[in-house]
Amino acid sequence: MNEVGIDSASSLHTSESVGEVPVLRPVSVRAKCSSNVQSTPEIEKKYVHGVYDAIAPHFSSTRFAKWPKVSAFLNSLSPGSLILDAGCGNGKYLGLNPDCFFIGCDISAALINICTDRGHEVLVADAVNLPYRTGYGDAAISIAVLHHLSTEDRRRKAVEELVRVVKKGGSVLITVWAREQEDRSLIEKWTPLNQRYVEEWIGPGSPRVRNPSSPRILESIPEAEENGAGERLKDRHANSSKVKLDEVMNSISLDEGNSSAPTGSEKGYAEQQEYFVPWHLPYHRAEVSGASAVALASGLAKKDDKKGSVVYNRYYHVFSEGELERLVSGLDNAILVDRFYDKSNWCIILEKTS
Amino acid sequence: MPQAKRKRDNSTRNASEYCTTNQSNQQETTDNTTSPAAPRPAKIPSIFQMRLLTHNMLSSNIKGVANGFPLKIEVVKVVEKEVDFNIDFLKNMFHKVEWKALVEASTTMGYAELPENADATMLDSDDFLHKFHHALLELHLEEGALVCPQTGRKFPVQKGIPNMLLHEDEV
């Protein structure tokens, strides 16, 4: 078990949340370190923010279907409510309830520009560190956001922020991609992070490398590496502000090893939660932005001539059943009022109690 | 959508044309530009910039800053846009809004009609409600900055969008 870092835990709270009792829990990042839970890991900068900035117009053009359960939640709110959407993407839920007011934010300026063009009031901000006063919103939503955060501490912090910014009695809807996808064949198209780690930093000649079509890669990651090397890697992570991506990736899988008990008996998919999920940007779209040329040059994106597209990888931590509930179980100022599975997403509704 | 409820549903083209003058009092005309035929609802909304509704919520979250609210406003360009009156919303927001910050911000944005103090009984007054409505929702900061009251750090507001992202050494 890691030590309980009280200093770190208290530093996770902003000055506006002085009334909250910091939740004591194992933390791997030392308070003295400049790199804390709110500082964005390289993997998110490169494989989340960088990608969305590059694909924003195309991504947005494909994001218009509204999930009925999100709509139902928004429509259940009292007329005149102020709804805060943290990680609003292209803003498809902003304004959904015509009797309410919405303010959206996203870390991707490219997506926020799209929201503005659509007439929404938005700002560029980080969902892990919302620049909002405490208790201003009547409700908050986080739709398909938390799975882009690469450590459990950051995911928990984002939840704490959502709760912080709503009033007492206010509700928070959170949805995340589920590891338990309805369409299992979809997962075949994703790249398990460990595999990529192995290929890029150990090399294709390594005996650890699996057949790309086989889902059995996790078996080849020794248990000892998940546990024994963990602290050392985390310390290196914590003590260096510029962490090499391979270390970040490794510590991610280590975090998971420590935090979530295996639920399935089968190895492979059952335990794999860290993925790169491809985004195919058609060539005719890619030419528009110019960002793709940069991405191709830097290796962030690859060409797929067969499909005529530039392929980006987006980082995802897909949630296992019960993980979202565990993530919020330490909150002392909110209770879980509903949980459901909807279209390959785990969803919860919280109510702020104090 | 609240955007749809706003009276002025002009095209984005029109909206930007209206925003070309500094401290403009120009308001968008009431004609509803006919939407182009499209399969999905095709009302083209106006562009909405940062309003005092948002300003009253924003707080500098730089590490070590104890009093990040209210952010000072540096005005380069303000535009006014008429917005539908929503009494439920105003009454709800009245209890959340830090009044002094709203009055100061409103004055900075060129509207000095708000009373210095306000209490809930004033919500019965139409005159008060309309002033509150105007200050909260109809003043838009298109270009300028929000300044952390403690550190002086400027958060830029460009094309009406505040950028509240922190630098690495600020988190």
Side-chain angles (χ1 to χ4, degrees), chain A residues 15-16 45 79-80 95 98 100-101 103 112-113 116-119 121 123-124 129-133 136 138, chain B residues 1-3 5 45-47 51 53-54 56-59 61 65 89 92-93 96 98 161-162 164 166 168:
Chain A
S15 57
E16 289 169 332
K45 285 185 193 164
C100 296
F101 277 71
I103 298 174
I112 283 298
N113 284 334
T116 298
D117 290 344
R118 293 176 170 190
E121 188 162 5
L123 55 131
V124 181
N129 191 8
L130 291 172
Y132 299 169
R133 281 205 282 137
Y136 197 71
D138 295 297
Chain B
M1 315 192 296
Q3 285 74 15
K5 290 190 72 165
S46 298
I47 306 276
R51 299 184 283 182
L53 163 69
T54 298
N56 211 276
M57 169 177 74
L58 291 179
S59 179
N61 55 357
V65 167
F89 183 66
N92 180 29
M93 289 310 299
K96 300 169 183 281
E98 290 282 343
I161 304 169
M164 300 299 294
L166 300 177
E168 296 257 327

Side-chain angles (χ1 to χ4, degrees), chain A residues 65-224:
Chain A
K66 296 172 180 71
W67 292 340
K69 297 214 173 186
V70 177
S71 303
F73 173 83
L74 294 174
N75 283 319
S76 73
L77 300 168
S78 307
S81 292
L82 178 65
I83 302 166
L84 306 175
D85 187 347
C88 64
N90 69 343
K92 71 175 180 176
Y93 292 110
L94 301 176
L96 188 135
N97 181 338
D99 297 322
C100 296
F101 277 71
F102 291 74
I103 298 174
C105 74
D106 203 283
I107 204 162
S108 164
L111 286 171
I112 283 298
N113 284 334
I114 290 170
C115 295
T116 298
D117 290 344
R118 293 176 170 190
H120 302 302
E121 188 162 5
V122 286
L123 55 131
V124 181
D126 187 346
V128 180
N129 191 8
L130 291 172
Y132 299 169
R133 281 205 282 137
T134 296
Y136 197 71
D138 295 297
I141 58 173
S142 167
I143 309 301
V145 177
L146 294 191
H147 53 228
H148 284 315
L149 301 175
S150 59
T151 70
E152 186 173 311
D153 280 348
R154 286 173 59 73
R155 296 188 283 271
R156 184 181 288 106
K157 179 65 184 166
V159 174
E160 289 169 357
E161 282 291 82
L162 289 163
V163 171
R164 180 182 69 79
V165 299
V166 300
K167 66 178 183 184
K168 183 183 171 184
S171 48
V172 175
L173 170 67
I174 301 171
T175 80
V176 294
W177 277 23
R179 184 176 65 179
E180 298 79 5
Q181 289 285 309
E182 284 172 2
D183 180 2
R184 305 284 287 188
S185 69
L186 210 57
I187 303 176
E188 297 279 356
K189 296 172 182 165
W190 302 350
T191 311
L193 211 54
N194 286 330
Q195 181 203 354
R196 190 183 172 91
Y197 161 72
V198 168
E199 285 180 351
E200 288 197 1
W201 284 279
I202 297 180
S206 162
R208 284 186 188 174
V209 175
R210 63 159 173 159
N211 178 327
S213 63
S214 155
R216 298 169 61 83
I217 180 64
L218 280 182
E219 289 187 6
S220 65
I221 303 292
E223 289 285 322

Side-chain angles (χ1 to χ4, degrees), chain A residues 25-42:
Chain A
R25 55 191 166 73
V27 288
S28 55
V29 179
R30 306 273 188 269
K32 65 188 175 201
C33 179
S34 64
S35 168
N36 66 15
V37 68
Q38 291 177 335
S39 123
T40 309
E42 289 296 316

Side-chain angles (χ1 to χ4, degrees), chain B residues 53-86:
Chain B
L53 163 69
T54 298
H55 171 262
N56 211 276
M57 169 177 74
L58 291 179
S59 179
S60 165
N61 55 357
I62 298 169
K63 188 181 183 183
V65 167
N67 295 302
F69 178 87
L71 296 157
K72 292 198 182 77
I73 300 177
E74 280 188 6
V75 174
V76 174
K77 185 153 110 188
V78 172
V79 292
E80 295 186 21
K81 296 179 184 184
E82 200 171 318
V83 170
D84 263 7
F85 192 76
N86 181 331

Side-chain angles (χ1 to χ4, degrees), chain A residues 266-279:
Chain A
E266 58 170 322
K267 286 269 187 178
Y269 286 150
E271 291 181 11
Q272 182 67 36
Q273 290 184 260
E274 313 298 321
Y275 285 100
F276 281 120
V277 176
W279 183 270

Side-chain angles (χ1 to χ4, degrees), chain A residues 5-26:
Chain A
I6 295 170
D7 290 347
S8 294
S10 60
S11 76
L12 301 181
H13 294 258
T14 67
S15 57
E16 289 169 332
S17 55
V18 285
E20 298 168 12
V21 179
V23 180
L24 299 185
R25 55 191 166 73

